[in-house]
């Protein structure tokens, strides 16, 4: 019996990693969510951010929050410093910042002696 339990452990461990969309939210609404969040600058941090997303998608506040959590779980978003949400896919994909290259100092003028 114990051996059979050990065989199920990998299945149970990975079951929590599978992100499922919120109940009652379809693929079209998920796409609308991504487009709406992108249209307001990719972040959902404040009241002023949520209202346009709700209006554009037809989702309730609770559904918007559930979709944001789903996007985080699926690796398509991240939590912000202020406790909000940032979309990280599509037009909101972060760009890699180029390393700053410091210019070499100009050579010191030589005096003709």
């Amino acid at each position: 019996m114990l051996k059979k339990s050990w065989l199920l452990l990998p299945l149970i461990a990975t079951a929590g990693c599978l992100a499922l969309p919120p109940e009652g939210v379809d693929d079209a609404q998920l796409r609308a969510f991504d487009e709406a969040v992108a249209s307001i600058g990719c972040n959902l941090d404040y009241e002023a951010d949520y209202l346009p997303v709700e209006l554009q998608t037809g989702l309730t506040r609770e559904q918007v929050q559930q979709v944001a959590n789903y996007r985080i779980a699926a690796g398509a978003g991240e939590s912000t410093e202020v406790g909000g949400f940032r979309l990280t896919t599509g037009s909101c994909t972060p760009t890699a910042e180029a390393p700053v290259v410091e210019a070499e100092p100009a050579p010191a003028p030589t005096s003709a002696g």
Side-chain angles (χ1 to χ4, degrees), residues 5 8-17:
S5 298
L8 294 176
L9 187 60
L11 293 174
I12 294 169
T14 58
C17 298

Side-chain angles (χ1 to χ4, degrees), residues 32-105:
F33 172 87
D34 291 351
E35 292 170 8
V37 173
S39 77
I40 61 157
C42 302
N43 282 22
L44 282 174
D45 288 324
Y46 305 105
E47 179 76 14
D49 301 329
Y50 281 88
L51 292 174
V53 173
E54 292 170 20
L55 290 172
Q56 290 180 52
T57 61
L59 298 171
T60 66
R61 173 70 53 97
E62 183 179 348
Q63 288 173 314
V64 168
Q65 291 170 334
Q66 289 172 350
V67 172
N69 289 331
Y70 163 67
R71 288 295 192 221
I72 292 170
E78 60 191 17
S79 295
T80 63
E81 297 83 29
V82 295
F85 165 78
R86 174 164 178 76
L87 186 66
T88 58
T89 59
S91 62
C92 295
T93 302
T95 57
E97 293 186 24
V100 176
V101 178
E102 292 185 26
E104 291 187 29

